[in-house]
Amino acid sequence: ALSAGKILQVVSTTTTASDSVSVATTAWGNLGPTRAITPSATSSKIWVTGAITVCTSLTNMNCDCRLVYDSNTVITGATGDAASSRKRGTTSMQHTHSEDNAIITINYLHSPSTTSEITYKLQFGHNSSSTRTIYVNRTGGDSDDAKIGRYTSTLTCMEIGA
């Protein structure tokens, strides 16, 4: 029998490679670590947590993030409320300089009601009026300089017994 409130399994992925995605205005692009988990019971909940290091190709631009699963199905409970034409996301950060990075954090308790494998991933967007590039694990400028770094990003899924 499953124990309510107990952590039944933990799976985690850490990416160290830099990567990027070009995203058009109002669009979303997949970027960063993904993680699959197979719940042991339909009553289980999955706590998805992560820390993703991101940067954008343009200064003074928002970098928006949303949590999705499988075939880019948006987890509506992990997105902000609908309000007119505003974009709905899980979290966001303001990028102010080409050497800036930010840690976008994700914390959400999902109730998928399945014992089939689920793959969680992140999608990124922005508030620019043109196609822009979003980077993970590196800065936008990425110059070969000792003050410029490379980073890691992690996505962890924990099955919680219900």
Side-chain angles (χ1 to χ4, degrees), residues 9-16 30-37 46-54 65-70 72-73 75 78 90-91 103-110 118-124 136-137 151-159:
Q9 63 172 311
V10 178
V11 293
S12 186
T13 297
T14 297
T15 60
T16 59
N30 294 330
L31 183 65
T34 64
R35 184 67 244 185
I37 189 169
I46 307 298
W47 182 20
V48 183
T49 183
I52 298 84
T53 306
V54 295
C65 178
R66 69 182 182 186
L67 181 62
V68 300
Y69 69 99
D70 292 341
N72 298 326
T73 302
I75 301 174
T90 303
T91 189
I103 302 293
I104 285 192
T105 58
I106 299 290
N107 282 293
Y108 184 70
L109 188 62
H110 188 215
I118 307 161
T119 300
Y120 292 96
K121 52 191 166 181
L122 303 167
Q123 291 185 330
F124 289 88
V136 69
N137 296 339
Y151 311 98
T152 65
S153 296
T154 300
L155 192 63
T156 302
C157 298
M158 292 177 259
E159 181 183 4

Side-chain angles (χ1 to χ4, degrees), residues 53-55 93 95 97 99-103 137-140 149 151:
T53 306
V54 295
C55 188
M93 71 87 166
H95 175 251
H97 190 275
E99 294 177 359
D100 284 350
N101 284 93
I103 302 293
N137 296 339
R138 56 161 273 194
T139 63
Y151 311 98

Side-chain angles (χ1 to χ4, degrees), residues 3 19-20 51-52 57 62 64 68 72 77 108 111 125:
S3 298
D19 199 3
S20 65
I52 298 84
S57 62
N62 281 0
D64 304 314
V68 300
N72 298 326
Y108 184 70
S111 301

